[in-house]
């Protein structure tokens, strides 16, 4: 994560990086569930400040997430659940897909590695709802 860029971009509204990323992720999860007329249960890897993140979810339901894509979260049920990745096959699967996604655009990768990563990505690509990584250092058009 590019924390210096995040701090610069949000200097007036300094929030911890994990909080910002989690709010963006929850917006996308909520939007996906709404588009399918379904509800979502969110299970995340264990992190510090779990109680604070749960309180944030409660606030997002009432006031919205803030930012340019602000939305009130209406499709995330219950609370945020945190599990150690070693105990959750679903969290492990997300870790693997995230790792693979990050490897797809790795500069300087060998042709064989790139081809192998692309073949692996083709197995999960159809399940990808949103594919974009915000770069806080990038200029806004």
């Amino acid at each position: 994560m590019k924390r210096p860029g995040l701090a610069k971009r949000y200097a007036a509204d300094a929030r911890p990086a994990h909080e910002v990323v989690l709010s963006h992720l929850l917006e996308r999860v909520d939007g996906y569930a709404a588009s399918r007329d379904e509800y979502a249960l969110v299970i995340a890897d264990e992190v510090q400040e779990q109680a604070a993140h749960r309180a944030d979810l409660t606030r997002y339901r009432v006031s919205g997430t803030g930012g340019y894509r602000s939305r009130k979260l209406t499709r995330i049920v219950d609370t945020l659940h945190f599990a150690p990745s070693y105990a959750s096959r679903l969290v492990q699967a997300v870790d693997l897909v995230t790792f693979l996604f990050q490897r797809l655009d790795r500069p300087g990768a060998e042709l064989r590695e790139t081809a192998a990563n692309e073949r692996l990505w083709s197995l999960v690509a159809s399940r990808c709802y949103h594919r974009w990584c915000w770069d806080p250092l990038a200029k806004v058009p």
Side-chain angles (χ1 to χ4, degrees):
M1 181 176 302
K2 299 175 180 172
R3 291 175 197 264
L6 179 71
K8 182 179 177 184
R9 187 63 147 295
Y10 287 99
D13 180 27
R15 295 189 299 163
H18 195 275
E19 180 184 327
V20 172
V21 171
L22 186 58
S23 70
H24 292 187
L25 177 64
L26 293 173
E27 287 171 355
R28 292 296 180 170
V29 169
D30 192 75
Y32 178 74
S35 74
R36 298 179 54 91
D37 196 27
E38 295 179 353
Y39 292 90
L41 179 70
V42 178
I43 303 170
D45 205 347
E46 288 185 315
V47 294
Q48 299 291 320
E49 308 295 329
Q50 292 177 19
H53 295 306
R54 288 185 183 111
D56 290 341
L57 175 60
T58 300
R59 188 176 75 249
Y60 300 154
R61 285 184 174 127
V62 174
S63 306
T65 54
Y68 78 102
R69 294 181 139 289
S70 184
R71 70 179 286 132
K72 289 184 180 179
L73 304 183
T74 62
R75 295 302 195 154
I76 296 174
V77 298
D78 200 30
T79 187
L80 294 176
H81 296 272
F82 295 93
S85 60
Y86 68 83
S88 171
R89 291 181 299 192
L90 293 174
V91 173
Q92 288 176 11
V94 169
D95 284 346
L96 284 170
V97 171
T98 302
F99 176 77
L100 177 59
F101 178 77
Q102 291 175 340
R103 304 255 324 170
L104 287 174
D105 296 321
R106 201 179 88 173
E110 294 181 15
L111 249 38
R112 287 183 339 162
E113 178 185 349
T114 300
N117 287 338
E118 287 174 355
R119 279 193 308 276
L120 288 170
W121 183 255
S122 73
L123 299 173
V124 296
S126 66
R127 297 295 203 170
C128 184
Y129 168 68
H130 177 74
R131 181 182 171 174
W132 183 73
C133 185
W134 174 66
D135 181 349
L137 299 176
K139 294 186 186 230
V140 177

